[in-house]
Amino acid sequence: MSEKAEKIILTGDRPSGKLHIGHYVGSLRQRVELQDSGEFKKIYIMIADTQALTDNFANPDKVRASVTEVALDYLSVGLDPNKCTIFIQSQVPELTELTMYYMNLVSIARVERNPTVKAEIAQKNFGEGVPCGFVCYPVSQTSDITAFKATTVPTGEDQKPMLEQAREIVRKFNEIYGPTLVEPDILLASNKACLRLPGTDGHAKMSKSLGNCIYLSDDADTIREKIMSMYTDPTHVKVSDPGHIEGNTVFTYLDAFSRPEHFERYNIGFANLDEMKEQYKKGGLGDVKVKRFLNDIIQEELQPIRERREEYAKDIPALYDMLKKGCETAREAASQTLAEVKHAMKIDYFG
Ligand code: ATP
Ligand code: MG
């Protein structure tokens, strides 16, 4: 078998809102490159509505509307339904069935130890207690990955513990029931600033649920306003003051977005980002100038995405046709794996 015949991608996003530039640099941008690389036999992109419902169960309208938004975001960044299968998690019931079987292979203590789940529980203020479905969503994520025999899962850094948990479940399954499932690898963005892009408020992670995002669909004025009021270095009061780069969100965004050609194109007076950072550290470079430069770069990147999005939004029935086809293709693949799982577990009573 060739390399290509073996490599399969599964990745996705929760429809808990529109996608933002954290998703873009942490995952979407790389997904499009992987899609166009021709290195993968199959690419599955999942809109994780079942997972979004674990903490948005009382908000079905929001989840439903966000499915449309996320699908539009996908097409607008360049994901191509002819090259990848875009589908909706809840429409592939085989995934839910797999979750039930995998649930036996994980202890309650283990799911509760997952650091990302822990941090999210602390952040979400679940009034009436944490839903079982929420604590167990990493198990359901294991179903999503293994159902498609994914070898490669491109995600942001917050998903590392999910992948570890998936690998543990796969190993345990294969040990008990015989070799059936494929152990997946995480694929992180190579640029460190993109692993977990901070929010515009300086919070460690830009997140739909925290409202500190620049959305791919934001208009030019909104983007400018958000950038101009971004968190920088609180000790950098006067332009002449020495400034800090570490923890300075504006510079983290420049790390994630700027390319060598931007320095010439926008005539910023520095040959590259290192020179600009040096000047900021010494003093004599104001936040407004840095923010204006960042704004130019982000506007340049987001404008074509926003324009494509507006075009796709004109034909929502076509968008749903594409999703329906994706769901059918995904079901075929997942039901094959489910049959193999049931056979391995000796619950294939009727052949
Ligand atoms: P929610 O707050 O509802 O969990 P989210 O903004 O965290 O939403 P997800 O749908 O959970 O978004 O994440 C989808 C993908 O985007 C994952 O691979 C995740 O690692 C990545 N991602 C999310 N936020 C960021 C970020 N700020 N920087 C880099 N990658 C991110
Ligand atoms: Mg998340």
Side-chain angles (χ1 to χ4, degrees):
M1 234 192 295
S2 73
E3 272 277 286
K4 178 172 174 173
E6 288 164 353
K7 283 169 80 177
I8 296 176
I9 285 179
L10 176 284
T11 186
D13 305 272
R14 295 153 36 94
S16 54
K18 298 172 173 189
L19 298 184
H20 52 65
I21 60 171
H23 298 116
Y24 183 66
V25 297
S27 173
L28 296 173
R29 190 163 65 178
Q30 186 192 34
R31 264 184 227 175
V32 177
E33 280 168 21
L34 295 171
Q35 162 194 278
D36 295 336
S37 73
E39 273 181 43
F40 294 86
K41 182 184 162 208
K42 289 261 164 55
I43 300 179
Y44 295 94
I45 314 276
M46 182 181 78
I47 304 182
D49 61 340
T50 310
Q51 191 188 119
L53 284 165
T54 61
D55 56 322
N56 292 280
F57 55 88
N59 259 319
D61 290 333
K62 173 176 136 186
V63 173
R64 187 168 178 134
S66 301
V67 169
T68 310
E69 300 292 353
V70 170
L72 287 172
D73 286 326
Y74 282 170
L75 298 183
S76 66
V77 297
L79 288 174
D80 177 353
N82 295 310
K83 296 181 183 162
C84 53
T85 300
I86 302 176
F87 70 98
I88 308 171
Q89 187 181 21
S90 64
Q91 304 309 296
V92 183
E94 290 76 10
L95 301 175
T96 318
E97 201 173 331
L98 285 173
T99 304
M100 195 68 199
Y101 302 134
Y102 294 169
M103 216 84 95
N104 301 328
L105 307 178
V106 194
S107 70
I108 292 173
R110 176 67 183 92
V111 284
E112 284 175 346
R113 222 173 39 232
N114 184 311
T116 298
V117 174
K118 261 194 193 164
E120 288 175 341
I121 288 174
Q123 173 203 315
K124 286 179 199 287
N125 302 318
F126 288 110
E128 294 164 16
V130 185
C132 287
F134 187 80
V135 189
C136 294
Y137 89 73
V139 183
S140 129
Q141 233 167 285
T142 305
S143 307
D144 309 330
I145 297 166
T146 56
F148 300 100
K149 300 190 163 68
T151 53
T152 313
V153 184
T155 66
E157 197 183 33
D158 61 314
Q159 295 301 304
K160 253 182 171 170
M162 311 305 170
L163 261 289
E164 269 164 39
Q165 210 158 351
R167 290 164 65 92
E168 281 172 32
I169 293 174
V170 167
R171 283 199 289 267
K172 195 154 181 190
F173 188 102
N174 289 345
E175 220 174 84
I176 299 174
Y177 303 112
T180 313
L181 303 175
V182 177
E183 217 173 303
D185 285 314
I186 193 167
L187 183 63
L188 296 170
S190 51
N191 180 340
K192 206 169 137 259
C194 300
L195 292 175
R196 191 182 300 240
L197 197 76
T200 49
D201 58 355
H203 185 281
K205 181 176 174 290
M206 179 174 287
S207 168
K208 296 183 218 101
S209 307
L210 292 175
N212 57 7
C213 309
I214 295 175
Y215 293 99
L216 295 177
S217 50
D218 277 345
D219 61 41
D221 288 343
T222 308
I223 295 170
R224 190 176 308 108
E225 273 164 36
K226 287 182 180 176
I227 290 176
M228 295 317 285
S229 52
M230 260 173 77
Y231 177 86
T232 56
D233 170 9
T235 67
H236 187 243
V237 184
K238 290 197 292 285
V239 172
S240 54
D241 289 342
H244 296 87
I245 303 296
E246 198 65 30
N248 187 326
T249 311
V250 177
F251 278 99
T252 310
Y253 285 19
L254 284 175
D255 279 328
F257 280 95
S258 72
R259 294 192 298 274
E261 66 264 27
H262 290 139
F263 289 83
E264 204 176 325
R265 190 175 311 153
Y266 295 108
N267 202 15
I268 185 75
F270 300 101
N272 53 48
L273 188 53
D274 286 340
E275 260 189 28
M276 194 173 184
K277 285 179 178 172
E278 277 316 307
Q279 179 74 65
Y280 190 84
K281 282 197 268 190
K282 270 192 230 149
L285 173 58
D287 283 332
V288 171
K289 183 168 176 181
V290 186
K291 285 177 171 177
R292 284 204 182 124
F293 179 50
L294 177 66
N295 179 58
D296 286 337
I297 292 172
I298 293 196
Q299 298 282 1
E300 177 187 325
E301 188 100 8
L302 296 193
Q303 187 193 353
I305 294 176
R306 185 168 60 240
E307 284 171 2
R308 279 197 294 270
R309 201 179 194 282
E310 282 161 14
E311 279 309 304
Y312 287 118
K314 288 181 185 158
D315 195 352
I316 298 298
L319 186 78
Y320 272 81
D321 272 352
M322 177 279 287
L323 289 172
K324 189 160 177 259
K325 285 200 195 91
C327 292
E328 285 160 8
T329 308
R331 264 202 97 168
E332 262 172 50
S335 54
Q336 171 67 35
T337 305
L338 179 63
E340 288 163 19
V341 161
K342 289 171 99 167
H343 177 70
M345 293 179 75
K346 305 194 188 304
I347 51 174
D348 57 338
Y349 304 106
F350 309 113

